Amino acid sequence: MNAFFYIIPVQIMAVVLLAAYVVVRRWLRMRSAWRSGLTAEGRCLRVYAVAHGGGDSRVRTALRHVYEFRARDGRVVRFEEEGGPGTVLEGDIVTVHYADGPDVVATARPGRGGNGCAACAVLAMAVVVVLVCAVVMVALTATS
C-alpha cells in the first residue's frame, strides 16, 4: 500500500517535467527562428479552426495556419502553426522567420516576449511541483 504513495508523486513529477520540457523546447525553437535572421516570403495555404472542450466544460477554439515558403537553399518548406492572427487568410503573403538546418524551424507569428515568460513560468511551476512531491515522499519515508 505504501508503494502507491511513492508511485503517484513520481508519476506527477514525470508529467510535470515532460510538460516543462515540451514548453521550453518549443520556446527555444521559436527563439532560434527569430534570432537566425533568415526571412522568406511565404504563403498561407490553409486556415482552419480547432475546437477543444465541450460537454460540461467551455469550448475553446484556436486558429491553425498552414504556410509554405522556399528556403534559401531552394527547398520548399511547409509548416503548420497554431494560434496565428485571424487577419491572415488563405492566399495571403506573410514574412516567415526560420532557422536553417536539416529540420527547418519556422514561424510566421510576430516575435513576442510572452513565449519566454510562459516558458519561465512553466519551469517555475515544475520546480515547485517537483519539490512538493519530493517533500511528500521524504515525509512518508520518515514516518514509515
Side-chain angles (χ1 to χ4, degrees):
M1 187 65 181
N2 282 341
F4 286 113
F5 294 113
Y6 295 107
I7 292 172
I8 291 173
V10 168
Q11 288 179 340
I12 291 171
M13 287 190 295
V15 168
V16 167
L17 290 173
L18 178 66
Y21 169 77
V22 168
V23 168
V24 170
R25 182 173 180 259
R26 181 174 182 218
W27 171 62
L28 290 173
R29 289 172 57 95
M30 289 301 112
R31 190 178 76 162
S32 72
W34 277 98
R35 289 194 172 179
S36 72
L38 298 173
T39 60
E41 184 178 273
R43 179 176 298 275
C44 179
L45 300 178
R46 184 170 180 229
V47 179
Y48 62 99
V50 177
H52 301 281
D56 291 337
S57 64
R58 68 183 179 129
V59 177
R60 296 170 305 179
T61 58
L63 282 180
R64 289 184 170 258
H65 294 81
V66 179
Y67 298 104
E68 186 176 76
F69 70 96
R70 186 174 302 276
R72 68 178 177 180
D73 61 358
R75 287 185 293 168
V76 175
V77 178
R78 183 178 292 188
F79 68 98
E80 186 173 327
E81 194 166 54
E82 184 176 345
T87 55
V88 175
L89 304 174
E90 291 182 23
D92 285 354
I93 303 297
V94 295
T95 300
V96 176
H97 297 265
Y98 69 100
D100 215 359
D103 183 27
V104 175
V105 178
T107 182
R109 282 194 283 177
R112 301 184 312 262
N115 291 337
C117 293
C120 290
V122 168
L123 274 178
M125 182 63 92
V127 167
V128 168
V129 169
V130 168
L131 286 176
V132 167
C133 288
V135 166
V136 167
M137 289 180 5
V138 167
L140 284 172
T141 303
T143 60
S144 297

